[in-house]
Amino acid sequence: MKIKMLLMLFAFAAFTFTSCEDNKKKDEMEKERMEQMEADREAEMSAEKEKMEMESNSIAAKAMETDTLSTLVSTLQTAKMAELLKVSEGPYTVFAPNNAAFNKVDKATLDNLMMEENQSKLSGLLKYHVVEDEIMASDLKKMIQDNNGEYKINTLAGSELTAMMNGDNIVLKDANGNTATIVQADVDASNGVIHIIDGVVMQKMNK
């Protein structure tokens, strides 16, 4: 009888110990799950904060903050390219025509490009001002010097711009032989850099 009682006590003790261990493991697993959820939440919040900081300092945001680039901002919005230069990490280099540059463009031509049915043409024009790389002015000057005074730049439009020096100024020559000068260099952005230019460069027009 005593042996039976002892066996029952051992069995009960073993059951109780096992139950305690199971509960302990469950508690530990729940704790780990909660800690992982908290870590995921903090990581998500951190990523969202970084995204907001990036977008608030993006090329598009910098352009919107610059009064002399208001016409460029309007064209980017019409061509649905503002979002690209806002959320894309890039890096990009944008040769940004100022308002005075757009004023040199024939009004009828610009008005025509701003029409909804010509969105692809406007987008092509703007992409001719964008390079998928970050090129600071000092780097561009060195590239020009290292290439006998001229450096070919590939743009998002698939056509080239030719960079050269005119005294201390960097000048861009488009496919039609027209030029634009960088009047303000190295406007730093989170996804690249802006160089403000005094002319609108254009791709070769099909005859």
Side-chain angles (χ1 to χ4, degrees), residues 54-68:
M54 190 278 280
E55 291 182 2
S56 66
N57 291 290
S58 65
I59 289 170
K62 294 287 185 180
M64 289 175 188
E65 292 171 2
T66 307
D67 292 340
T68 57

Side-chain angles (χ1 to χ4, degrees), residues 59-60 63 69 72 76 81 85 91-97 126 129-135 156 172 182 184 187 191-197:
I59 289 170
L69 297 180
L72 174 63
L76 286 170
M81 283 182 61
L85 298 176
Y92 298 109
T93 296
V94 175
F95 298 107
L126 294 173
H129 294 75
V130 182
V131 180
E132 198 169 8
D133 191 11
E134 185 175 64
I135 309 174
L156 279 186
L172 302 174
I182 294 178
Q184 184 178 344
V187 180
N191 57 347
V193 65
I194 301 171
H195 303 302
I196 299 177
I197 58 178

Side-chain angles (χ1 to χ4, degrees), residues 60-189:
K62 294 287 185 180
M64 289 175 188
E65 292 171 2
T66 307
D67 292 340
T68 57
L69 297 180
S70 59
T71 304
L72 174 63
V73 171
S74 295
T75 60
L76 286 170
Q77 291 171 339
T78 300
K80 301 194 184 321
M81 283 182 61
E83 197 67 12
L84 169 70
L85 298 176
K86 178 182 177 183
V87 302
S88 178
E89 292 183 4
Y92 298 109
T93 296
V94 175
F95 298 107
N98 56 22
N99 293 346
F102 278 104
N103 288 337
K104 296 176 187 176
V105 179
D106 177 67
K107 187 176 184 302
T109 300
L110 188 58
D111 288 345
N112 189 51
L113 284 169
M114 293 290 280
M115 295 173 71
E116 188 175 349
E117 58 265 32
N118 292 325
Q119 182 182 316
S120 61
K121 290 182 180 179
L122 180 60
S123 177
L125 170 67
L126 294 173
K127 285 179 179 178
Y128 194 43
H129 294 75
V130 182
V131 180
E132 198 169 8
D133 191 11
E134 185 175 64
I135 309 174
M136 306 304 287
S138 58
D139 296 327
L140 187 52
K141 285 181 180 180
K142 188 174 188 307
M143 292 171 184
I144 293 168
Q145 292 165 358
D146 291 347
N147 287 273
N148 299 316
E150 289 190 356
Y151 181 73
K152 301 289 185 182
I153 305 170
N154 293 314
T155 69
L156 279 186
S159 303
E160 291 180 337
L161 287 170
T162 303
M164 59 191 75
M165 298 301 299
N166 181 9
D168 293 330
N169 298 320
I170 299 173
V171 174
L172 302 174
K173 183 171 71 175
D174 65 18
N176 300 292
N178 299 314
T179 60
T181 302
I182 294 178
V183 293
Q184 184 178 344
D186 298 343
V187 180
D188 191 40

